[in-house]
Amino acid sequence: LSFRYRCPQIYSKILKLIEEDKENDKVRMKAFEDKIDEILTSHGIRYRRELAYKQPYNIWRKINTLKVDFEHLECRHFTRIVFPEDVYVSEKNMCLNIYSLLTDYFKERPNSIINYVDQPKQNGYQSFHTQLLSDYGVWEEIHIQSERMTKKSHLGYMLENGRRDKVIYEWLETFRGVLKDVARNTEEGSSFFIESVRASFYNDDIQVYTPDGHSMKL
Protein backbone atom coordinates (compact mmCIF):
# COMPACT_ATOMS: atom_id res chain seq x y z
CA LEU A 1 0.00 0.00 0.00
CA SER A 2 2.89 2.37 0.71
CA PHE A 3 4.23 1.98 -2.85
CA ARG A 4 1.62 4.47 -4.07
CA TYR A 5 3.05 7.17 -1.77
CA ARG A 6 6.74 6.23 -1.80
CA CYS A 7 6.96 6.05 -5.61
CA PRO A 8 3.94 8.04 -6.91
CA GLN A 9 5.25 8.55 -10.46
CA ILE A 10 6.12 4.89 -11.00
CA TYR A 11 2.83 3.86 -9.39
CA SER A 12 0.82 6.14 -11.71
CA LYS A 13 2.73 4.93 -14.77
CA ILE A 14 2.10 1.26 -13.98
CA LEU A 15 -1.56 1.97 -13.16
CA LYS A 16 -1.95 3.61 -16.58
CA LEU A 17 -0.29 0.62 -18.29
CA ILE A 18 -2.68 -1.75 -16.47
CA GLU A 19 -5.72 0.23 -17.67
CA GLU A 20 -4.40 0.18 -21.26
CA ASP A 21 -3.78 -3.55 -20.91
CA LYS A 22 -7.38 -4.12 -19.80
CA GLU A 23 -8.66 -2.31 -22.89
CA ASN A 24 -6.31 -4.11 -25.27
CA ASP A 25 -7.13 -7.53 -23.80
CA LYS A 26 -10.89 -7.03 -23.66
CA VAL A 27 -11.85 -9.07 -26.73
CA ARG A 28 -9.31 -11.83 -26.12
CA MET A 29 -10.25 -12.27 -22.47
CA LYS A 30 -13.98 -12.32 -23.22
CA ALA A 31 -13.48 -15.15 -25.71
CA PHE A 32 -11.36 -17.07 -23.20
CA GLU A 33 -13.83 -16.59 -20.35
CA ASP A 34 -16.83 -17.43 -22.54
CA LYS A 35 -15.17 -20.76 -23.37
CA ILE A 36 -14.54 -21.46 -19.69
CA ASP A 37 -18.22 -20.73 -18.96
CA GLU A 38 -19.32 -23.02 -21.77
CA ILE A 39 -17.17 -25.92 -20.52
CA LEU A 40 -17.99 -25.68 -16.82
CA THR A 41 -21.69 -24.89 -17.26
CA SER A 42 -22.16 -27.84 -19.59
CA HIS A 43 -20.84 -30.13 -16.82
CA GLY A 44 -23.07 -28.64 -14.13
CA ILE A 45 -20.25 -26.99 -12.17
CA ARG A 46 -21.35 -24.25 -9.77
CA TYR A 47 -18.80 -21.45 -9.71
CA ARG A 48 -18.15 -17.77 -10.13
CA ARG A 49 -15.39 -16.26 -12.22
CA GLU A 50 -13.43 -13.05 -11.98
CA LEU A 51 -10.56 -11.46 -13.89
CA ALA A 52 -7.97 -10.00 -11.52
CA TYR A 53 -5.09 -7.74 -12.51
CA LYS A 54 -2.03 -7.86 -10.33
CA GLN A 55 -1.30 -4.86 -8.15
CA PRO A 56 1.18 -2.16 -9.26
CA TYR A 57 3.70 -3.09 -6.56
CA ASN A 58 3.56 -6.77 -7.54
CA ILE A 59 4.17 -5.85 -11.18
CA TRP A 60 6.97 -3.40 -10.30
CA ARG A 61 8.71 -6.04 -8.18
CA LYS A 62 8.53 -8.65 -10.97
CA ILE A 63 9.78 -6.16 -13.57
CA ASN A 64 12.84 -5.45 -11.42
CA THR A 65 13.43 -9.07 -10.46
CA LEU A 66 13.09 -10.48 -13.98
CA LYS A 67 14.71 -7.48 -15.71
CA VAL A 68 11.93 -7.10 -18.29
CA ASP A 69 9.61 -4.27 -19.29
CA PHE A 70 5.84 -4.24 -18.76
CA GLU A 71 5.03 -5.54 -22.24
CA HIS A 72 7.27 -8.60 -21.83
CA LEU A 73 6.06 -9.46 -18.35
CA GLU A 74 3.92 -12.59 -18.55
CA CYS A 75 0.75 -13.16 -16.53
CA ARG A 76 -0.03 -9.57 -15.64
CA HIS A 77 -3.50 -10.81 -14.78
CA PHE A 78 -5.18 -14.10 -13.94
CA THR A 79 -8.63 -15.65 -14.07
CA ARG A 80 -9.92 -16.83 -10.70
CA ILE A 81 -12.49 -19.64 -10.67
CA VAL A 82 -14.20 -19.89 -7.27
CA PHE A 83 -16.52 -22.73 -6.32
CA PRO A 84 -18.74 -23.11 -3.23
CA GLU A 85 -17.81 -25.66 -0.57
CA ASP A 86 -19.63 -28.95 -0.96
CA VAL A 87 -20.02 -31.34 1.95
CA TYR A 88 -19.93 -34.29 -0.48
CA VAL A 89 -16.81 -33.32 -2.44
CA SER A 90 -13.42 -32.31 -1.04
CA GLU A 91 -11.96 -28.98 -2.09
CA LYS A 92 -8.94 -30.71 -3.62
CA ASN A 93 -11.13 -33.02 -5.71
CA MET A 94 -13.19 -30.10 -6.96
CA CYS A 95 -10.02 -28.21 -7.95
CA LEU A 96 -8.80 -31.26 -9.84
CA ASN A 97 -12.21 -31.79 -11.46
CA ILE A 98 -12.30 -28.22 -12.81
CA TYR A 99 -8.66 -28.50 -13.89
CA SER A 100 -9.42 -31.75 -15.73
CA LEU A 101 -12.43 -30.31 -17.56
CA LEU A 102 -10.50 -27.23 -18.71
CA THR A 103 -7.44 -29.16 -19.87
CA ASP A 104 -9.65 -31.46 -21.95
CA TYR A 105 -10.09 -28.42 -24.22
CA PHE A 106 -7.16 -26.04 -23.52
CA LYS A 107 -3.54 -27.04 -23.87
CA GLU A 108 -1.71 -26.79 -20.55
CA ARG A 109 1.67 -25.08 -20.28
CA PRO A 110 4.31 -27.65 -19.24
CA ASN A 111 5.41 -27.38 -15.60
CA SER A 112 2.93 -24.58 -14.88
CA ILE A 113 1.01 -26.33 -12.08
CA ILE A 114 1.48 -24.94 -8.59
CA ASN A 115 -0.51 -26.87 -5.99
CA TYR A 116 -0.98 -24.57 -3.02
CA VAL A 117 -3.93 -26.70 -1.87
CA ASP A 118 -1.74 -29.55 -0.58
CA GLN A 119 1.23 -27.28 0.14
CA PRO A 120 -0.13 -23.89 1.32
CA LYS A 121 2.13 -20.88 1.40
CA GLN A 122 3.59 -20.09 4.80
CA ASN A 123 0.94 -17.39 5.31
CA GLY A 124 -1.82 -19.98 4.76
CA TYR A 125 -2.71 -19.09 1.13
CA GLN A 126 -4.31 -21.98 -0.77
CA SER A 127 -5.18 -22.28 -4.47
CA PHE A 128 -4.52 -24.44 -7.54
CA HIS A 129 -2.61 -22.56 -10.25
CA THR A 130 -1.91 -23.47 -13.87
CA GLN A 131 -1.59 -21.80 -17.28
CA LEU A 132 -3.74 -22.60 -20.32
CA LEU A 133 -3.26 -21.71 -23.99
CA SER A 134 -6.17 -19.56 -25.21
CA ASP A 135 -7.54 -19.69 -28.74
CA TYR A 136 -5.59 -16.46 -29.36
CA GLY A 137 -2.31 -18.28 -28.71
CA VAL A 138 -1.62 -16.60 -25.35
CA TRP A 139 -0.86 -18.39 -22.09
CA GLU A 140 -3.50 -17.44 -19.52
CA GLU A 141 -3.00 -17.97 -15.80
CA ILE A 142 -5.81 -19.73 -13.90
CA HIS A 143 -6.38 -19.87 -10.14
CA ILE A 144 -8.90 -22.46 -8.91
CA GLN A 145 -10.06 -22.16 -5.31
CA SER A 146 -13.01 -22.55 -2.98
CA GLU A 147 -14.96 -19.70 -1.40
CA ARG A 148 -13.24 -20.55 1.90
CA MET A 149 -9.78 -20.21 0.32
CA THR A 150 -10.75 -16.91 -1.31
CA LYS A 151 -12.15 -15.48 1.92
CA LYS A 152 -9.03 -16.46 3.83
CA SER A 153 -6.84 -14.88 1.13
CA HIS A 154 -8.77 -11.59 1.19
CA LEU A 155 -9.50 -11.19 4.90
CA GLY A 156 -6.50 -12.81 6.52
CA TYR A 157 -5.26 -16.11 7.81
CA MET A 158 -6.23 -15.42 11.45
CA LEU A 159 -9.87 -14.99 10.42
CA GLU A 160 -10.31 -18.72 9.90
CA ASN A 161 -7.64 -20.34 12.03
CA GLY A 162 -6.89 -18.04 14.95
CA ARG A 163 -5.36 -19.89 17.85
CA ARG A 164 -6.33 -23.29 16.48
CA ASP A 165 -3.50 -23.46 13.95
CA LYS A 166 0.17 -23.47 14.93
CA VAL A 167 1.23 -22.53 11.36
CA ILE A 168 0.48 -18.84 11.91
CA TYR A 169 2.72 -18.83 14.97
CA GLU A 170 5.49 -20.57 13.03
CA TRP A 171 5.12 -17.82 10.40
CA LEU A 172 5.38 -15.12 13.08
CA GLU A 173 8.45 -16.80 14.58
CA THR A 174 10.05 -16.84 11.11
CA PHE A 175 9.34 -13.13 10.70
CA ARG A 176 10.72 -12.39 14.17
CA GLY A 177 13.85 -14.35 13.28
CA VAL A 178 14.30 -12.34 10.07
CA LEU A 179 14.01 -9.06 11.99
CA LYS A 180 16.61 -10.16 14.54
CA ASP A 181 18.98 -11.44 11.86
CA VAL A 182 18.78 -8.25 9.82
CA ALA A 183 19.19 -6.10 12.94
CA ARG A 184 22.39 -7.97 13.87
CA ASN A 185 23.85 -7.39 10.41
CA THR A 186 22.76 -3.78 9.87
CA GLU A 187 24.69 -0.80 11.20
CA GLU A 188 22.88 1.25 13.83
CA GLY A 189 21.02 4.15 12.24
CA SER A 190 21.25 2.65 8.77
CA SER A 191 18.47 3.58 6.33
CA PHE A 192 18.66 0.14 4.72
CA PHE A 193 16.95 -1.77 7.54
CA ILE A 194 13.50 -1.99 5.90
CA GLU A 195 15.00 -2.75 2.48
CA SER A 196 17.03 -5.59 4.04
CA VAL A 197 13.95 -7.00 5.77
CA ARG A 198 11.98 -6.96 2.53
CA ALA A 199 14.80 -8.61 0.57
CA SER A 200 15.21 -11.32 3.23
CA PHE A 201 11.59 -12.04 3.99
CA TYR A 202 10.01 -12.05 0.54
CA ASN A 203 12.28 -14.64 -1.02
CA ASP A 204 10.38 -17.80 -1.91
CA ASP A 205 10.79 -20.82 0.33
CA ILE A 206 12.71 -23.76 -1.10
CA GLN A 207 11.17 -27.09 -0.16
CA VAL A 208 13.37 -30.19 -0.14
CA TYR A 209 12.87 -33.77 1.01
CA THR A 210 15.07 -36.06 3.08
CA PRO A 211 15.74 -39.65 1.90
CA ASP A 212 12.98 -40.71 4.32
CA GLY A 213 10.45 -38.46 2.56
CA HIS A 214 10.21 -35.75 5.24
CA SER A 215 9.80 -32.20 3.86
CA MET A 216 12.03 -29.34 4.98
CA LYS A 217 11.81 -25.65 4.09
CA LEU A 218 15.00 -23.70 3.43
Side-chain angles (χ1 to χ4, degrees):
L1 295 176
S2 62
F3 180 63
R4 176 179 180 179
Y5 302 99
R6 291 188 63 191
C7 308
Q9 292 181 329
I10 299 174
Y11 178 88
S12 297
K13 180 180 179 180
I14 293 177
L15 204 61
K16 181 180 178 184
L17 289 170
I18 291 172
E19 292 304 315
E20 292 174 354
D21 213 32
K22 289 180 181 179
E23 186 63 30
N24 294 336
D25 292 343
K26 189 182 297 183
V27 174
R28 188 186 88 227
M29 291 311 301
K30 185 177 187 310
F32 179 64
E33 293 171 339
D34 285 349
K35 193 62 188 180
I36 289 177
D37 291 342
E38 178 186 329
I39 293 169
L40 298 184
T41 302
S42 66
H43 286 84
I45 302 294
R46 292 185 298 131
Y47 70 100
R48 62 180 177 85
R49 173 184 47 72
E50 55 189 38
L51 177 62
Y53 278 77
K54 295 184 177 178
Q55 296 298 312
Y57 177 71
N58 183 299
I59 290 176
W60 176 80
R61 194 157 59 90
K62 288 181 182 295
I63 285 174
N64 284 274
T65 301
L66 301 175
K67 307 300 181 186
V68 297
D69 58 19
F70 182 86
E71 292 299 324
H72 292 90
L73 182 67
E74 291 189 329
C75 302
R76 299 186 290 266
H77 56 257
F78 59 90
T79 299
R80 182 185 288 121
I81 298 171
V82 185
F83 57 87
E85 293 96 324
D86 191 323
V87 293
Y88 301 106
V89 182
S90 72
E91 291 175 316
K92 177 181 177 180
N93 284 345
M94 182 57 76
C95 286
L96 292 175
N97 185 25
I98 292 173
Y99 159 79
S100 177
L101 292 173
L102 293 179
T103 51
D104 281 345
Y105 178 84
F106 295 106
K107 181 180 179 181
E108 175 191 356
R109 190 171 197 170
N111 304 315
S112 67
I113 289 179
I114 307 178
N115 182 3
Y116 290 124
V117 177
D118 286 333
Q119 297 288 340
K121 288 186 178 182
Q122 198 169 18
N123 63 6
Y125 173 83
Q126 287 182 289
S127 186
F128 188 92
H129 297 188
T130 190
Q131 293 180 34
L132 306 176
L133 188 65
S134 72
D135 292 339
Y136 279 71
V138 178
W139 293 111
E140 301 291 355
E141 186 172 340
I142 299 290
H143 295 182
I144 306 171
Q145 54 193 211
S146 69
E147 289 286 2
R148 180 193 65 81
M149 296 175 191
T150 306
K151 184 178 181 182
K152 183 166 70 173
S153 174
H154 287 174
L155 301 181
Y157 190 64
M158 290 295 285
L159 174 76
E160 179 189 77
N161 295 283
R163 297 183 179 276
R164 293 180 293 127
D165 198 327
K166 68 176 184 177
V167 177
I168 186 64
Y169 294 100
E170 292 176 355
W171 183 84
L172 290 172
E173 283 300 319
T174 300
F175 191 44
R176 185 180 288 114
V178 168
L179 293 176
K180 289 181 178 178
D181 186 57
V182 172
R184 280 196 299 267
N185 293 283
T186 304
E187 293 183 9
E188 188 174 350
S190 171
S191 61
F192 295 104
F193 178 76
I194 294 299
E195 295 298 326
S196 299
V197 170
R198 185 173 64 186
S200 300
F201 190 66
Y202 286 103
N203 287 326
D204 290 335
D205 291 330
I206 301 173
Q207 186 147 357
V208 296
Y209 293 87
T210 67
D212 296 328
H214 299 294
S215 65
M216 298 179 66
K217 287 183 178 179
L218 306 181

